[in-house]
Amino acid sequence: MTDKNKTEQLKAIRDELLELKSSPLYEYRKSNGYFPVAGQGSHNAHIMFIGEAPGRNEAQTGRPFCGAAGKLLDKLLESVEIKREDVYITNIVKDRPPENRDPMPEEIELYAPFLDRQIEIIKPLIIATLGRFSMEYIMKRFGLEIKIKPISQIHGQSFESPKEIDGKKIIIIPLYHPAAAIYNQELKKTLFEDFKILEKYK
Ligand code: URA
């Protein structure tokens, strides 16, 4: 796929999200003047980060991870000398849930096909999930269902997916969500440690 095709297909996803009136989060988006958050970064990224859902800052700007959790994500990337513009960052749910509540199963189900398409277009070699919602979805999606355990037991490990994208096996790395680590020094330390696994894939 050429870069131009990739850009067009990713733009089509953004346009469809803007029109997604069937979403239970659509009214909340409209009444607050929010935007859906499709994703941001390199269309040829080797590494794709998948968070949970946009927070207020993200919904106001349409950009993923641009609030407090995003600032920590920036520091984590910096610590392993990975440039934010070289990776692709997105979420499993593309609209902000009210008051940042956990995404509902039906919201994940509705938005997941958009994420699947983004993965299919970008073709990352590594998918780093941020938090348990994207971890569970992505591990199931890529045939790693039996390896799913609580995130406290498998964070920072790498799992080779039995399913391939274009003949290439992809690596799934579950990580804690940066938002959980903002006020938790222990978790923050763990997250910085876990990020080091990405150094060999950049
Ligand atoms: N938390 C997420 O999961 N995603 C964002 O984009 C911001 C905060």
Side-chain angles (χ1 to χ4, degrees):
M1 201 187 300
T2 64
D3 285 358
K4 188 163 168 262
N5 284 345
K6 284 189 176 195
T7 303
E8 276 166 10
Q9 291 195 36
L10 289 166
K11 188 175 174 302
I13 291 174
R14 211 184 60 207
D15 292 345
E16 284 172 49
L17 287 169
L18 271 165
E19 291 304 316
L20 196 64
K21 299 194 172 105
S22 61
S23 170
L25 300 173
Y26 180 78
E27 277 311 314
Y28 183 64
R29 183 218 293 170
K30 275 278 143 194
S31 60
N32 284 284
Y34 288 158
F35 295 101
V37 178
Q40 187 184 40
S42 166
H43 298 172
N44 295 307
H46 288 169
I47 306 177
M48 186 166 187
F49 288 91
I50 306 175
E52 186 178 307
R56 184 188 283 120
N57 288 290
E58 289 76 18
Q60 283 172 340
T61 57
R63 289 174 31 237
F65 283 93
C66 63
K71 291 211 169 65
L72 180 53
L73 179 59
D74 288 346
K75 288 202 182 113
L76 288 158
L77 288 169
E78 225 175 85
S79 73
V80 287
E81 294 178 6
I82 293 176
K83 293 201 186 98
R84 183 167 165 139
E85 61 267 30
D86 289 343
V87 300
Y88 194 81
I89 303 175
T90 185
N91 289 301
I92 182 157
V93 167
K94 314 294 194 189
D95 278 299
R96 182 186 183 211
E99 305 317 313
N100 299 345
R101 64 153 168 73
D102 286 349
M104 308 269 201
E106 59 270 27
E107 291 161 1
I108 293 180
E109 203 176 308
L110 177 75
Y111 289 99
F114 294 97
L115 176 62
D116 290 345
R117 281 162 63 194
Q118 289 172 312
I119 294 170
E120 196 50 46
I121 296 163
I122 293 164
K123 302 191 193 309
L125 300 174
I126 313 294
I127 296 181
T129 57
L130 301 170
R132 67 191 164 96
F133 291 100
S134 56
M135 174 189 91
E136 278 171 21
Y137 177 73
I138 289 295
M139 288 185 78
K140 274 189 203 144
R141 178 80 184 74
F142 284 95
L144 288 164
E145 211 152 355
I146 56 161
K147 303 276 185 186
I148 298 178
K149 289 196 183 138
I151 194 165
S152 57
Q153 289 176 33
I154 57 173
H155 65 90
Q157 297 179 20
S158 62
F159 297 89
E160 192 176 75
S161 156
K163 288 198 187 151
E164 300 179 344
I165 305 184
D166 273 7
K168 278 190 215 135
K169 289 204 189 307
I170 68 161
I171 308 279
I172 315 287
I173 302 177
L175 296 167
Y176 280 118
H177 196 294
I182 295 173
Y183 300 110
N184 181 332
Q185 291 310 314
E186 265 315 296
L187 215 57
K188 200 185 274 185
K189 232 167 80 190
T190 305
L191 204 41
F192 274 95
E193 271 306 306
D194 286 353
F195 254 68
K196 290 186 186 155
I197 196 174
L198 295 172
E199 283 185 306
K200 61 175 179 243
Y201 298 117
K202 63 189 181 191

